[in-house]
Amino acid sequence: YNRMPKTDATQVVVSSATLHSPEILKLSENIAPRATWVDLKGKDAVPETVDHVFVEIDPTQRLEGYDNNLARLITTDGVHKKDSRNAGAYSENIKRYKILVLKECIDAFDMNQCLVFVRTQLDADNLENFLVKVGGGRKFQGRDRMGGKENKYSCVVLHGGRRQDERKENLAAFK
């Protein structure tokens, strides 16, 4: 942005799925102080068919109450595993808890379809690997979509590190 010529004809468009987040608001104010906002759905627009679940996770707790065999199936990026400060250990615990709590939500709400956002491509791949393991060890094949889900934890990944044709197939399977 700093290298762009600053004239009255300069137009800047900021598109974001997190349009109303404080970070995006601050960025837009820095780039375009007299911005015109175009918001097609509004801050609180959520389809009636979508339900949200919020679960508060206490990072000071150990993975007690969970099946140790299940907890062993979890892989994280390990960034905070060796961090001796409490904050690093808490972050690692939260990463591990999130995966177990997601499985609990799938079970408790008998979900047949959900969309899960994670921070990184590696987190998406690790979550897919965990769900494959708890679902019986067979990855979603997607070839015969007429049969529906292959198991309770069938999943597909849509991140940019996957081939375009795989993402297209995965999106079609999700729809």
Side-chain angles (χ1 to χ4, degrees):
Y1 174 77
N2 291 333
R3 294 183 182 171
M4 290 175 53
K6 310 295 189 285
T7 68
D8 288 339
T10 302
Q11 287 188 336
V12 177
V13 177
V14 177
S15 302
S16 174
T18 55
L19 189 62
H20 298 283
S21 73
E23 296 83 6
I24 296 299
L25 291 171
K26 184 177 177 184
L27 175 67
S28 67
E29 288 169 5
N30 289 339
I31 292 174
R34 298 182 321 270
T36 300
W37 284 80
V38 178
D39 187 353
L40 301 178
K41 299 259 182 174
K43 182 177 181 178
D44 298 318
V46 176
E48 290 181 19
T49 57
V50 173
D51 294 312
H52 290 88
V53 175
F54 174 81
V55 178
E56 188 171 351
I57 298 174
D58 182 354
T60 63
Q61 299 297 310
R62 297 199 178 272
L63 295 174
E64 296 166 3
Y66 290 97
D67 178 353
N68 282 336
N69 292 326
L70 192 62
R72 282 190 201 108
L73 298 177
I74 299 171
T75 304
T76 69
D77 57 12
V79 169
H80 302 289
K81 199 177 276 189
K82 296 178 183 176
D83 194 338
S84 61
R85 298 184 324 256
N86 281 344
Y90 292 165
S91 180
E92 183 69 19
N93 277 354
I94 288 173
K95 280 187 173 232
R96 298 176 69 76
Y97 266 125
K98 283 180 185 179
I99 293 172
L100 293 170
V101 170
L102 174 63
K103 182 191 174 299
E104 277 186 3
C105 288
I106 292 169
D107 294 342
F109 294 104
D110 196 26
M111 292 182 187
N112 60 17
Q113 192 174 43
C114 71
L115 191 58
V116 178
F117 293 90
V118 295
R119 190 176 59 85
T120 68
Q121 292 178 6
L122 181 58
D123 289 341
D125 292 337
N126 287 340
L127 178 58
E128 177 190 35
N129 289 336
F130 173 78
L131 293 172
V132 165
K133 289 173 188 172
V134 298
R138 183 170 174 239
K139 268 189 159 182
F140 181 76
Q141 301 299 307
R143 304 283 186 261
D144 180 19
R145 292 194 181 89
M146 301 305 285
K149 293 192 311 185
E150 295 169 355
N151 68 66
K152 187 174 188 172
Y153 307 105
S154 290
C155 66
V156 295
V157 176
L158 300 174
H159 69 63
R162 301 287 176 105
R163 293 181 333 274
Q164 179 64 29
D165 60 324
E166 179 186 5
R167 293 195 317 259
K168 254 178 124 170
E169 285 178 19
N170 288 349
L171 185 58
F174 181 77
K175 289 180 179 179

